[in-house]
Amino acid sequence: MNKPLISVKDLTVRFHTDEGLITAVDNVSFDIAPGEVLGLVGESGSGKSVTAKSLMQLNAGNTQYDEKSSIILNVDDQEIDVLSLKNDSELRIVRGGAISMIFQEPMASFAPAITIGDQMVEQLLIHSSMTKKEASEFSIEMLERVGIPDASQRFKQYAFEFSGGMRQRAMIAMALSTKPQLLIADEPTTALDVTIQAQVIDLMKDLVSEFGMGILFITHDLGVIAQTADRVAVMYLGNLIETGTVRQVIREPHHPYTLGLLNALPKLDDLEAPLTPVPGDIPSPLERPSGCVFHTRCPQNLGARCETEIPKLLKGAKNRMTACHLVEENGASKS
Ligand code: SF4
């Protein structure tokens, strides 16, 4: 059996804060195969970004990974234990090497006082054996590939001279120029207007099939996931609560939270249909509810069992997984 590109097992991430130890990610496990797009979905505060940053050890200095946590990256017949990487030179294997990350706000990726070209070249000099001239030519080629007109001129400009959509394209060009095996895309289209969003999604899909990389695509928007991902993992308050193929999860959600996210989406075929938001707000991680972490907002809360017993993420038919007592009692997780 082929090894997954990355295998995350029992990932638990806590932060030391003035208020105490906060659990941001709780016992999360998932794999991504080479060439697969996994969509990680959830509201702000669900732990998506902390999970993603863990794959490159990019979380803040006050982070504590539970000792059971494991992240194994399989690249070039090598098995890299990501959480055991310590110093900068070891971490460079994953940061900008085997893994690249693109962010919602591309200004966060570019130093404002250095030209886009110089930043792209510097990254290639660190992560490849190219000469400066080769790195410059390849960077211009990548800018052209992502549809930036006058790429050789744009190469000499600063990030502030680019429009929002153009900056996003430049960031994708920079992230892909080192040919990473895994791309982490953290809300890459959220700040863009809808037409540019569609262009960027199409561009990413094209480049993924050409480069054959795996992608972890993070978003709160199930509509974007439907267009981009092969499989979906839904997170709530640091827990993985449902996984499955896009078709399974979007057509027939099992977990009440996933159903709530879908009911909150506008329906183009029925503009009169009322939007039904998930009631209440996601609780503070300092006040994690007992039992099922969703029980304080769940319209189908079963009472004592939901409020005291943590539901396990159980495998059902066709490799779907759901963490919900109701689903378990109804037999869907065993079918
Ligand atoms: Fe709702 Fe209970 Fe399922 Fe949690 S375990 S999602 S509270 S029904």
Side-chain angles (χ1 to χ4, degrees), residues 255-256 292 294-295 298 300-301 306 311 324-326:
H255 196 283
C292 168
F294 187 55
H295 86 251
C298 180
Q300 302 186 68
N301 184 339
C306 292
C324 173
H325 296 312
L326 179 69

